[in-house]
Amino acid sequence: MVLRASLAILASALLLGMYARGGFAVSLGFVALVPWLASVATLPSWRAALASGIAMAMLFALAVFAWFGDAVAAYTGIGTAGGIALVVLAAPLTQPQIVAAALAARWAAGRLGPVLRAVVVAAAWVACEWACPKLLGDSLGHGLQPAAWWRQAADLGGVPVLTFVLVLCNQWLADAWRHRRDASRGWRLPLACALALPVLLAGYGAWRSAQLRALPVEDTLRVAMVQANIVDYERLRRERGAYAVVREVLDTHVGMSRAALDAGRVDALLWSETVYPTTFGKPRSEAGAELDAEIAGFARGAGVPLVFGTYDRDAAGEYNAAAVLDPRDGLLGFYRKTHPFPLTEHVPGWLDGPRLRRLLPWAGTWLPGDGARSFPLRLPGGREVPVAPMICLDDVHPELAREAARQGARALLGLSNDAWFSAHPQGARLHLAVAAFRSVETRLPQVRVTTNGISAVVDADGGIRDATAMGTRALLVGEVAVRTAPVTRAVAWGGWFGPFALGLLLLVVVLRQWPRRSTGNAGQAGLVAAATSWPLATTWLSPRWRWAGVLLQGVAGATLAAFAGLWLFGDASVLKPMLQLRLFVALVALPTAAWWLLRRAHAARAELREGTLHVQGGGRSLRLPVAALDVRPLRLPFPGTGLRVRGEGGDAVLLLREPIDVLHALGRSADLPRGCAAYLAARGRHRGPRWDRAWLRTLLFPLLPAMFAFRLHQHIAYGGTFGEWQTFGATAWLTGAALWWAGWIVGLAVFAAVLRAVVEAACLAIAWGMPTRAATARHVLEGVARAVYYLGVPAWLVLRVLA
């Protein structure tokens, strides 16, 4: 067993090493972990699982990050072997998500079904990466950057979404492999899930890419990026003096910039991080003042904005910064690097001291900046494009780019000094891939310059259109399209997916340990039957009327889903308020009312007497001997849960709350998979509170936020609660109030539909993974959904007003 587990770890490490190099190996992300995960499920103890996770983390670090150990060795002088050994030995701390996934897989094995088992492992992986951020921000999802369609899902919640999908697929394939010889064919469900998920991911990416291409181009921005390939400033200072080095750097950048200006249209110039290695605008000497004036004069003469890396300082200390020079107004301001590199650029105050400085003489003294900042690039011809600079490690932290998008930036400007990657292009490629995802998440194009490569132009879909080589002097003129970027979920909701994964993990663990609740259906092993109280209220439909109900519900549900998709992933402004209201009335309200009338018209009562099922209602009656009855549950709960009854009188559909328990009362067992039976039983058994009625949820509750918002609107627009009444009369005031109420009805109906879809999907997954916890899961999730709806909506409204 030890040999088999070791070979599995080695195989996964080799596959991950190939995957990290990109190119044709991008698809390996979906299978690289399969050998290791398949072996973890067979380990006999927690100690073995922990050891497997630690060993996998160490071999992963060796296969993927050996270059980082060599770079550390070159910087610190500890030797290549020492640097790589440091990276490998620290792997359980720097790659803790692998250890967390091993422990999660060990816990889930034998406790959960294949769907939930994969969810638990993926959630543990992503939650651990969120709770323990990494220095380089690396995650499995970054390897999908070359895949034009797969990477687009990062706009939902960042790279963690892609990592979650990759771990899901790996775990499902591992389960399918382990059960490949089972007589029960337990491999089919995980294999189907693993094959379907990349297809769905690609489908979303294709749709999203088409949306981006359809957005109108409002302007174009041509930026000349100067990659001077002058590195190792400290060595050059020692050999030639500080002034001579600065003189060479400035002369080189000015000369290359003039060449770009002479060659054709250029809207702005971009120089790399710390290209001017002293404080700009606050000179320390007369020579520094002369150099400052020279740079400012060059920007004026060039006639285009200049953004370059320099230093800034105030009373608190000094900062790594980007200066923005306008050709007319001079210095517009500084962006201060928010995330200076630990120890080499910044040392936290609690750690700093003489002893640390003696131990690490290279430790820096820069202070962290205070977050994203946008600047207007005033371009030739009176054009203006808001941009947001980011410096080096800043692009590893997605919240900066998201905040810049919220501030109205139309493009991202990256300035970096990747000179320590000179001998390790793989590190520079990883940094570029990480930076490219900031464009996917925000849908903002990006131009990125580095000291010696890789400088690049990144489109709004994360594609790298133009790039320079490492270790070369290059002038890259890149043009990006400026559009009004759609507000993505990653921008609107921030880094929500990590906490979501943690909550999902805790929910499954708590439900698994929670005392069992009755889930009905004694015909399925391990589930508790419930007594059926006759007579039962039911809806008695012919097959044709059933399909009419399915059609009515389908129209209403599809409309709500379209509204939700447009609001979440599209541009809701294409639907004007009155158009939304008309569509809602025609395609949601009327079909829903028609379905309610249909159910009322076909209401009936069912009763079991002396071995005969009696159904009566609507002037009709049906008597069917149970012994000759062919009765089966509806496999899909459309237009509701129920039974399909076949007898001498023909086919009938009885819609019932508890079809599984009624089957048991009729002496039948559900010919359904265990998870499906548990889902239907738990759904039928659940009873919500009496006050949670459809009319309250749909009509009366929206009146509360509607009147609050309407009153606020009246005060803003007319100066008082009844300002519109006093100005235009009662009819205008009442019409406005009614429209606000109707608008909130539409919005909350869509929100309630989204909550319902989430609850049903979660309940179905839990019923398949933990059938005996299906009723508990529904009880908990329904309560959470009610709290989110009835308490979350007012709280959100109040917070918006206060903000």
Side-chain angles (χ1 to χ4, degrees), residues 400-417:
L400 276 176
R402 294 166 182 168
E403 180 57 31
R406 297 186 194 106
Q407 293 177 3
R410 296 292 188 90
L412 302 175
L413 304 183
L415 299 82
S416 187
N417 183 353

Side-chain angles (χ1 to χ4, degrees), residues 212-516:
L212 288 173
R213 289 193 298 269
L215 292 175
V217 177
E218 301 168 5
D219 202 346
T220 57
L221 177 63
R222 284 178 59 86
V223 179
M225 292 163 275
V226 177
Q227 179 179 301
N229 196 35
I230 302 175
V231 298
D232 200 353
Y233 283 8
E234 293 303 321
R235 180 182 60 81
L236 293 175
R237 277 196 187 101
R238 290 193 299 269
E239 293 176 355
R240 299 162 51 189
Y243 184 83
V245 173
V246 174
R247 182 76 267 165
E248 179 188 357
V249 169
L250 286 183
D251 289 345
T252 302
H253 281 77
V254 168
M256 295 178 70
S257 298
R258 291 193 189 281
L261 293 168
D262 294 341
R265 175 196 148 200
V266 171
D267 295 323
L269 297 169
L270 184 63
W271 298 352
S272 61
E273 177 187 13
T274 61
V275 68
Y276 184 53
T278 184
T279 52
F280 179 80
K282 299 167 185 175
R284 295 189 173 97
S285 65
E286 291 184 5
E290 292 175 359
L291 291 173
D292 287 358
E294 182 178 333
I295 295 174
F298 166 71
R300 283 194 302 272
V304 297
L306 168 63
V307 182
F308 64 98
T310 183
Y311 305 169
D312 185 29
R313 73 167 185 264
D314 58 17
E318 197 167 81
Y319 305 85
N320 186 343
V324 181
L325 282 180
D326 184 83
R328 291 176 301 172
D329 299 332
L331 180 64
L332 296 183
F334 293 94
Y335 164 73
R336 294 171 173 176
K337 186 175 181 179
T338 304
H339 297 281
F341 208 89
L343 299 183
T344 60
E345 291 185 335
H346 169 69
V347 177
W350 59 270
L351 183 61
D352 203 357
R355 182 176 300 177
L356 178 77
R357 295 290 171 178
R358 286 194 299 271
L359 182 64
L360 305 177
W362 61 79
T365 58
W366 276 323
L367 298 176
D370 51 5
R373 187 177 179 190
S374 295
F375 297 88
L377 277 191
R378 295 162 183 164
L379 311 180
R383 298 144 54 221
E384 186 173 295
V385 176
V387 299
M390 296 190 301
I391 302 176
C392 195
L393 204 62
D394 285 342
D395 54 29
V396 169
H397 299 269
E399 69 275 4
L400 276 176
R402 294 166 182 168
E403 180 57 31
R406 297 186 194 106
Q407 293 177 3
R410 296 292 188 90
L412 302 175
L413 304 183
L415 299 82
S416 187
N417 183 353
D418 287 353
W420 66 310
F421 291 142
S422 297
H424 310 284
Q426 188 177 352
R429 287 194 295 269
L430 171 62
H431 195 185
L432 177 57
V434 172
F437 273 102
R438 305 295 82 86
S439 290
V440 180
E441 294 159 358
T442 61
R443 298 306 179 190
L444 299 177
Q446 182 178 171
V447 289
R448 183 173 180 271
V449 66
T450 65
T451 303
N452 68 326
I454 303 171
S455 303
V457 180
V458 183
D459 289 326
D461 67 352
I464 299 170
R465 182 152 38 88
D466 295 304
T468 63
M470 284 287 295
T472 61
R473 178 169 293 182
L475 178 64
L476 178 61
V477 180
E479 181 174 291
V480 295
V482 178
R483 299 178 171 94
T484 299
V487 179
T488 65
R489 294 310 95 199
V491 170
W493 297 348
W496 66 275
F497 198 78
F500 168 78
L502 179 60
L504 191 62
L505 177 64
L506 294 177
L507 175 65
V508 174
V509 172
V510 169
L511 288 176
R512 183 62 182 80
Q513 303 304 125
W514 202 282
R516 300 181 184 181

Side-chain angles (χ1 to χ4, degrees), residues 45-316:
S45 66
W46 286 97
R47 181 178 297 177
L50 178 62
S52 177
I54 292 174
M56 183 70 242
M58 295 173 72
L59 275 182
F60 170 80
L62 180 62
V64 178
F65 289 106
W67 59 266
F68 185 66
D70 195 20
V72 170
Y75 191 86
T76 60
I78 62 176
T80 299
I84 294 177
L86 178 64
V87 168
V88 172
L89 293 175
L93 299 178
T94 59
Q95 304 294 336
Q97 77 282 357
I98 297 178
V99 179
L103 297 177
R106 175 66 179 80
W107 178 84
R111 286 184 170 90
L112 305 175
V115 174
L116 279 188
R117 187 158 55 241
V119 168
V120 163
V121 175
W125 186 294
V126 171
C128 187
E129 286 192 330
W130 169 74
C132 306
K134 301 179 185 179
L135 178 64
L136 301 178
D138 55 283
S139 186
L140 275 182
H142 287 120
L144 294 183
Q145 190 279 325
W149 286 351
W150 282 336
R151 67 174 178 253
Q152 302 308 320
D155 71 354
L156 297 175
V159 175
V161 173
L162 301 180
T163 300
F164 189 82
V165 170
L166 289 174
V167 179
L168 277 179
C169 289
N170 277 277
Q171 181 62 52
W172 278 328
L173 290 173
D175 283 341
W177 175 259
R178 287 179 52 243
H179 295 288
R180 65 191 184 282
R181 295 192 179 96
D182 289 359
S184 61
R185 297 185 179 180
W187 54 268
R188 292 186 297 180
L189 178 60
L191 180 61
C193 292
L195 295 177
L197 203 50
V199 175
L200 293 175
L201 199 67
Y204 175 82
W207 169 68
R208 204 62 165 144
S209 297
Q211 271 194 329
L212 288 173
R213 289 193 298 269
L215 292 175
V217 177
E218 301 168 5
D219 202 346
T220 57
L221 177 63
R222 284 178 59 86
V223 179
M225 292 163 275
V226 177
Q227 179 179 301
N229 196 35
I230 302 175
V231 298
D232 200 353
Y233 283 8
E234 293 303 321
R235 180 182 60 81
L236 293 175
R237 277 196 187 101
R238 290 193 299 269
E239 293 176 355
R240 299 162 51 189
Y243 184 83
V245 173
V246 174
R247 182 76 267 165
E248 179 188 357
V249 169
L250 286 183
D251 289 345
T252 302
H253 281 77
V254 168
M256 295 178 70
S257 298
R258 291 193 189 281
L261 293 168
D262 294 341
R265 175 196 148 200
V266 171
D267 295 323
L269 297 169
L270 184 63
W271 298 352
S272 61
E273 177 187 13
T274 61
V275 68
Y276 184 53
T278 184
T279 52
F280 179 80
K282 299 167 185 175
R284 295 189 173 97
S285 65
E286 291 184 5
E290 292 175 359
L291 291 173
D292 287 358
E294 182 178 333
I295 295 174
F298 166 71
R300 283 194 302 272
V304 297
L306 168 63
V307 182
F308 64 98
T310 183
Y311 305 169
D312 185 29
R313 73 167 185 264
D314 58 17

